[in-house]
Amino acid sequence: MADVQKLREKLGIHPDFPKKGINFLDIFPIFRDPILTELLISHLVTHIVTVTLANSPEKKIDAVVGLDARGFLLGPLLALRLGAGFVPVRKKGKLPGETVQVMYSKEYGTDEFAMQADFIAPGSNVIIVDDLIATGGSAQAAGELVKKLGGNTLEYIFIIGLNFLKDRWKLDAPVYCMIESDE
């Protein structure tokens, strides 16, 4: 797929960031170019329409859940194209109104995610998006929030999947990674 290869070539690679031994894959160079941004969003929408929805009995997505913070770049654009709402997942204490929370483990300790309690109606079909899946802890937490509110996660969608971290089995729905990386 030429579009995926073109996007892969534009990823920034930052050795030893955020700590020694880690190669940080940076998606922001894609967003500096409107044509590449369109290519990225069109690829993800095509996947969602031809794969995710094809495997869903209801054939619709009610909400796109985006994880703090890079999921906020993808989520609204995908939601707009899909005719769905956008639901942000943020760190605890960053959202107004009544929220539901869940604790999760990450590479360097634990954290807590929150979602506004009235943003997902029971029975809603959602997809969860973020830039990258590493250990899967934050994506799993978002899935737990969706489940707490009675929603149904159809798929977890990422730009990048790190092949050397095989924790995708934790997730309760299929996973799509546009770019697989061994870095």
Side-chain angles (χ1 to χ4, degrees):
M1 296 170 60
D3 57 344
V4 172
Q5 184 57 35
K6 186 168 189 72
L7 292 165
R8 176 188 270 281
E9 290 167 1
K10 294 299 180 179
L11 291 176
I13 301 174
H14 301 278
D16 298 322
F17 183 83
K19 68 178 196 171
K20 190 161 183 60
I22 294 177
N23 286 329
F24 184 83
L25 298 174
D26 184 5
I27 65 166
F28 288 129
I30 293 170
F31 287 95
R32 283 195 291 257
D33 182 330
I35 293 172
L36 291 177
T37 303
E38 176 60 37
L39 186 63
L40 169 65
I41 298 304
S42 292
H43 177 91
L44 294 176
V45 167
T46 298
H47 168 80
I48 293 163
V49 169
T50 61
V51 177
T52 311
L53 287 177
N55 294 323
S56 167
E58 292 85 15
K59 307 292 185 224
K60 71 177 179 103
I61 293 172
D62 301 300
V64 176
V65 173
L67 278 62
D68 195 346
R70 291 180 185 93
F72 295 177
L73 298 171
L74 303 169
L77 295 171
L78 293 173
L80 181 65
R81 296 275 181 95
L82 297 167
F86 173 69
V87 179
V89 170
R90 299 214 55 201
K91 304 266 194 250
K92 181 182 176 187
K94 300 288 184 182
L95 291 170
E98 183 183 349
T99 61
V100 293
Q101 298 85 31
V102 66
M103 296 275 298
Y104 68 98
S105 297
K106 52 186 200 173
E107 301 85 44
Y108 311 110
T110 61
D111 213 336
E112 196 165 0
F113 264 163
M115 179 186 290
Q116 287 166 304
D118 59 349
F119 272 38
I120 293 183
S124 294
N125 288 322
V126 307
I127 58 172
I128 297 174
V129 299
D130 203 4
D131 65 325
L132 178 138
I133 183 168
T135 65
S138 59
Q140 183 181 24
E144 288 178 31
L145 290 169
V146 168
K147 195 176 290 185
K148 275 186 174 187
L149 295 175
N152 173 41
T153 301
L154 298 179
E155 190 168 36
Y156 294 85
I157 297 176
F158 306 94
I159 298 172
I160 303 165
L162 300 180
N163 286 331
F164 59 92
L165 297 172
K166 297 289 186 189
D167 285 342
R168 296 176 201 172
W169 60 268
K170 291 181 188 178
L171 302 178
D172 61 350
V175 174
Y176 175 69
C177 300
M178 188 182 75
I179 297 170
E180 300 283 353
S181 176
D182 294 315
E183 297 191 48

